[in-house]
Amino acid sequence: MPSLSSSLERVGMPAVDADWLHHLVGDWQLVSDLSFADLVLWVREPDLGTWTCLTHVRPNTGPLVFYEDMVGQPAGPRRAQLLVRCLAEGRLVVEERPEWLNDMPLREEAIPVVRDGRCLAVMTRHSNLGAMRSPSRLETTYRATADTIIGMIATGDFPQVSATADRRRGTPRVGDGVMRLDLDGIITYASPNVISSLHRFGEHGRVLGDYLSRIVTEGIEDRSVVEESLPLVLTGKAAMRAEIEGSGTNLALRSVPLSDNGERVGALVLVRDVSELRRRERELLTKDATIREIHHRVKNNLQTVAALLRLQSRRVDDDLAREALAEAERRIGTIALVHDTLSRTIDEAVDFDDIVSRAFASIVEVAGRGAAVTGEFEGSFGRVAAEDANALAMVVTELVHNAVEHGLDGNGGGVVRIRAARRRVADEQRLTVDVEDDGAGLPEGFSPGRSGLGTRIVSALVQDLRGWIRWETRRSGGTRATFEARLRPITGTERVATM
C-alpha cells in the first residue's frame, strides 16, 4: 500500500503543495468526526487522467462507511465524473442520486482542496443516509461546524498550519468535548462533556451565553504562569492550543477559528480533561528523579568504599594483599562509573560507548605503568539496559586490564583494541566484542576455569549476560578475547520526552 508521500511524489506534486496536503490529512480527523462521515482524498494521475485515492479516514463519532481501505484504488466512472466536475467548477458538488453500497444508501460530496487559489486535489465526503434520524442539537451543531470547515477547505482557509504543527501530548478531539464561540468569544454551544469539564474546573454557573475567557480567568489558580497563547485560544481568534489548571483539574484547549469566504464567523474550541494524564506524567517525573538520585547515591557510596580500600592498601606491607586491594578498588570504581552514567539519564539505559571510553582511558593509563600503551576503539556498543550495564562494564574492563597488565607486560608497551558490533537476531539484540592486544599471547596451559580471579569473574558475568566467551592467540601475535552477549530489551525510554 503506497504512502501519502510516495503517492504525491509519483504524481509530481510540488513540495509546498504536498506539504499543504500533509497538513490537511494531519487534521482532517476533526472534519470526519464532526461530519459523522468518511473522507477520501483523490488526486488526478498526470499521464492517465484517472483519479487515485491517496488516503482515507473514518469517523470516531459514528458508523463508518467503507470497511475496506480505499488507498490506491482508482475512482469508478461515476465518481470520476463527480471529481472532474468539482475540479472544473472549483466548488463543493453533491452527487444528485444516492450511491448504494451493501444495501446502504450513501450521500457523496466532492470538495476542492484549494491552496493560493489553486485546486490541488479533491476530497469526497461519504455519509450514511440509512443512519440518519431526527438529529439532536449536538449532531446539528457538529454537522454545521463541519460544513463551515468544508467551506474553508474549498477557499484555502483550512488546514490551519499553526495548529497542525503542534503535536502536544493530550491534544483534545471531537469526542472529548466541543464548544462553539461567537465573534465576541461568548459560548453559543457546549457539549455535555465540556459542561462537565468546566464544572470540575470550578465553574458552577450557567455556561451557555457566558464568556469563555471569564470562566477560565476566574478558575485559574496560579495566574503567574499562563501560556501566551491562552488569550487567543479563549477568544477563538487564532488556531492554537493551551492548557489550564484549576480546582485540581487540567484542561487542554484547542481553538479552530471559523470563517465564511475569508470573514471570521466565530470559533470551534475542543476541550479535553487531561488531569489523569498529567498526574501520571508527574508520577513518572518523580519516579525518574528518584531513580537518578538513587544511582547518584550508590555511586557516591561506591566511591567512598573505593577510597577506603585505597587507604587500607597503603597500610598493608604484603605486596599480594596490596595488589588484591587495588584490584577490588578498580572493580568497584567500574561499577561506580556505570551508576554515575545512569544518574545522568532519564531512563534505565546508558550510552555504553561513553562508559567504555572513560574506563578504557583510565585503565590504559593506570595499568600501563608508564609504558607506551595505545588504546583503540572500533564500532559501537550502543545503548544498553541498566540490567546489563554493570556486568558488561565489568567484563570489558577486566579484559582490557588483563590485556594491558599481562598481555603487554614486559613488552614495553603495545596496542590494546576493543571492537564492538551489534546485530539483531530474531527479536533480540546480540552484542559481539573483541578485546585484543599485540603482546606475548596466552601462557602455556591457559585454562579459563583454573586461571586468575579476573578470568573467573569474566566467565561468570558472561553467563549472566546469557552469552559465551573464548580466548585465543592471534596469528600475528598477541591475545584475542571474544565474547557475545544477548542484550535485554530497553524499556521505559523516551517516556518523558513524548509528554
Side-chain angles (χ1 to χ4, degrees), residues 2 30 76 96-97 151 153 177 182 206 214 218 237 253 313 316 366 376 411 427 448 486:
L30 166 70
E96 297 177 355
R97 294 175 299 165
I153 293 174
D182 65 11
R206 179 178 172 85
R214 198 277 309 166
E218 293 185 359
K237 293 182 179 179
L253 308 177
S313 67
V316 174
V366 174
E376 297 181 357
N411 286 5
D427 294 331
R486 297 165 57 191

Side-chain angles (χ1 to χ4, degrees), residues 295-473:
H295 284 304
H296 181 71
R297 294 189 181 187
V298 169
K299 182 261 298 184
N300 289 343
N301 290 337
L302 289 172
Q303 288 179 335
T304 301
V305 172
L308 292 174
L309 290 174
R310 191 181 312 116
L311 290 173
Q312 185 66 41
S313 67
R314 293 173 183 172
R315 295 177 173 271
V316 174
D317 297 328
D318 187 281
D319 291 339
L320 291 177
R322 187 182 301 112
E323 184 177 346
L325 290 172
E327 292 289 317
E329 178 194 341
R330 176 180 59 78
R331 288 162 184 151
I332 291 173
T334 298
I335 300 174
L337 178 59
V338 173
H339 283 282
D340 179 49
T341 306
L342 284 169
S343 70
R344 303 172 188 270
T345 182
I346 64 172
D347 51 59
E348 285 293 276
V350 293
D351 180 1
F352 205 77
D353 291 344
D354 178 56
I355 292 178
V356 171
S357 298
R358 294 163 63 185
F360 196 12
S362 176
I363 292 172
V364 168
E365 179 182 353
V366 174
R369 299 171 184 172
V373 177
T374 302
E376 297 181 357
F377 180 23
E378 300 176 4
S380 175
F381 287 84
R383 289 176 61 77
V384 175
E387 295 92 331
D388 291 331
N390 274 324
L392 188 59
M394 288 289 291
V395 170
V396 174
T397 54
E398 286 291 335
L399 293 176
V400 171
H401 185 269
N402 287 342
V404 175
E405 190 171 59
H406 303 297
L408 302 180
D409 186 31
N411 286 5
V415 176
V416 177
R417 181 180 294 107
I418 299 177
R419 187 181 298 109
R422 288 178 70 154
R423 72 184 191 281
R424 176 172 288 277
V425 178
D427 294 331
E428 65 181 9
Q429 290 282 337
R430 301 281 182 91
L431 173 67
T432 304
V433 180
D434 293 327
V435 178
E436 56 186 29
D437 61 73
D438 56 359
L442 291 174
E444 187 86 18
F446 172 80
S447 175
R450 296 193 297 270
S451 297
L453 177 61
T455 305
R456 291 198 293 272
I457 289 175
V458 167
S459 299
L461 291 175
V462 168
Q463 290 182 6
D464 182 60
L465 293 168
R466 302 174 299 162
W468 51 262
I469 186 170
R470 67 170 179 263
W471 285 266
E472 59 186 349
T473 299

Side-chain angles (χ1 to χ4, degrees), residues 33-269:
D33 290 344
L34 290 171
S35 301
F36 306 97
D38 285 34
L39 301 179
V40 183
L41 187 64
W42 303 88
V43 69
R44 197 170 191 173
E45 299 286 347
D47 298 328
L48 303 176
T50 57
W51 293 83
T52 303
C53 171
L54 293 183
T55 187
H56 170 210
V57 66
R58 301 174 178 87
N60 294 318
T61 51
L64 53 88
V65 172
F66 298 110
Y67 287 88
E68 295 183 1
D69 207 311
M70 300 282 290
V71 176
Q73 295 186 17
R78 181 180 174 185
R79 181 169 293 140
Q81 291 180 1
L82 181 68
L83 298 175
V84 169
R85 182 182 168 193
C86 175
L87 179 65
E89 299 180 8
R91 63 177 181 85
L92 183 147
V93 178
V94 181
E95 178 61 64
E96 297 177 355
R97 294 175 299 165
E99 177 189 3
W100 288 85
L101 178 66
N102 299 327
D103 297 328
M104 179 172 53
L106 304 179
R107 180 176 64 200
E108 185 168 345
E109 304 161 277
I111 304 101
V113 179
V114 175
R115 175 182 177 272
D116 292 339
R118 296 176 294 107
C119 183
L120 309 181
V122 175
M123 184 178 75
T124 53
R125 180 167 59 168
H126 306 264
S127 305
N128 182 359
L129 297 177
M132 295 291 185
R133 53 182 173 80
S134 274
S136 63
R137 188 182 179 193
L138 179 147
E139 293 170 328
T140 301
T141 303
Y142 279 21
R143 289 195 173 98
T145 305
D147 290 341
T148 301
I149 298 178
I150 289 290
M152 294 168 63
I153 293 174
T155 57
D157 296 321
F158 192 92
Q160 296 157 336
V161 177
S162 61
T164 56
D166 185 355
R167 297 300 182 191
R168 188 179 314 182
R169 185 176 174 87
T171 298
R173 299 155 294 184
V174 169
D176 297 317
V178 170
M179 271 190 293
R180 281 291 302 264
L181 306 182
D182 65 11
L183 287 173
D184 297 321
I186 297 176
I187 302 172
T188 59
Y189 172 79
S191 68
N193 284 348
V194 169
I195 294 176
S196 297
S197 296
L198 292 179
H199 286 170
R200 288 193 296 271
F201 185 73
E203 173 58 36
H204 302 295
R206 179 178 172 85
V207 172
L208 295 181
D210 203 346
Y211 288 94
L212 177 60
S213 57
R214 198 277 309 166
I215 294 175
V216 171
T217 301
E218 293 185 359
I220 292 178
E221 296 174 347
D222 186 2
R223 301 186 184 184
S224 62
V225 182
V226 177
E227 296 185 35
E228 295 181 357
S229 60
L230 184 58
L232 296 176
V233 171
L234 298 181
T235 55
K237 293 182 179 179
M240 290 185 175
R241 295 184 175 99
E243 192 165 314
I244 55 177
E245 182 176 0
S247 300
T249 300
N250 293 75
L251 299 182
L253 308 177
R254 177 195 172 185
S255 63
V256 181
L258 302 177
S259 62
D260 185 6
N261 290 319
E263 183 177 350
R264 195 167 73 89
V265 295
L268 167 73
V269 178

Side-chain angles (χ1 to χ4, degrees), residues 257-305:
L258 302 177
S259 62
D260 185 6
N261 290 319
E263 183 177 350
R264 195 167 73 89
V265 295
L268 167 73
V269 178
L270 304 178
V271 181
R272 180 182 180 185
D273 188 336
V274 292
S275 304
E276 184 63 18
L277 179 63
R278 296 296 177 252
R279 184 188 67 80
R280 292 181 180 179
E281 290 176 358
R282 287 191 290 268
E283 286 182 351
L284 284 175
L285 289 171
T286 302
K287 178 182 176 182
D288 289 331
T290 302
I291 291 173
R292 290 198 299 272
E293 178 62 21
I294 290 172
H295 284 304
H296 181 71
R297 294 189 181 187
V298 169
K299 182 261 298 184
N300 289 343
N301 290 337
L302 289 172
Q303 288 179 335
T304 301
V305 172

